[in-house]
Amino acid sequence: QVQLVESGGGLVQAGGSLRLSCAASGRTFSTYNMGWFRQAPGKEREFVARITRFGGTTYYADSVKGRFTIARDNAKTAVYLQMNGLKPEDTTVYYCAADPAGTQRGYEYWGQGTQVTVSS
């Protein structure tokens, strides 16, 4: 298993930038595909971005393409979400998650979340 801890959330003005970090421990980090999700009040959890084990492939939700960038540093066992051009609709709690590679179980481990608030 792996423990995930997010950080970097906070208050930012519309059009500003923020970088979220997710520190992992407990297993070899490179055995996991990693993802970022968000969940706004009254809405279902939404996929934001995904990055494969060694950073070779990334995927983004249409709503964040061109604005957000996911990256990972396996030596530091960390994954990041660089958020630029933030909009008020990006306001919510952001979670990182780990998906063990080579299985069909999907995302199995989740962090506690970090709050992002974008003012207009």
Side-chain angles (χ1 to χ4, degrees), residues 72-116:
R72 69 189 296 160
D73 187 334
N74 286 352
K76 295 182 178 179
T77 66
V79 62
Y80 309 97
L81 186 67
Q82 178 65 48
M83 305 184 294
N84 299 326
L86 284 163
K87 305 175 181 179
E89 48 262 47
D90 295 319
T91 295
T92 190
V93 178
Y94 285 72
Y95 302 87
C96 67
D99 166 21
T103 76
Q104 296 182 331
R105 298 194 295 271
Y107 293 96
E108 293 188 338
Y109 307 101
W110 297 81
Q112 84 289 347
T114 186
Q115 175 72 47
V116 171

Side-chain angles (χ1 to χ4, degrees), residues 16-31:
S17 298
L18 208 58
R19 192 186 202 198
L20 306 184
S21 298
C22 178
S25 63
R27 274 197 64 182
T28 301
F29 187 59
S30 62
T31 63

Side-chain angles (χ1 to χ4, degrees), residues 35-63:
W36 284 97
F37 294 79
R38 63 189 183 185
Q39 187 166 17
K43 296 185 178 180
E44 293 186 346
R45 184 179 62 198
E46 177 188 12
F47 166 78
V48 174
R50 176 181 173 89
I51 188 166
T52 52
R53 293 173 60 194
F54 303 106
T57 306
T58 58
Y59 305 86
Y60 297 94
D62 288 342
S63 59

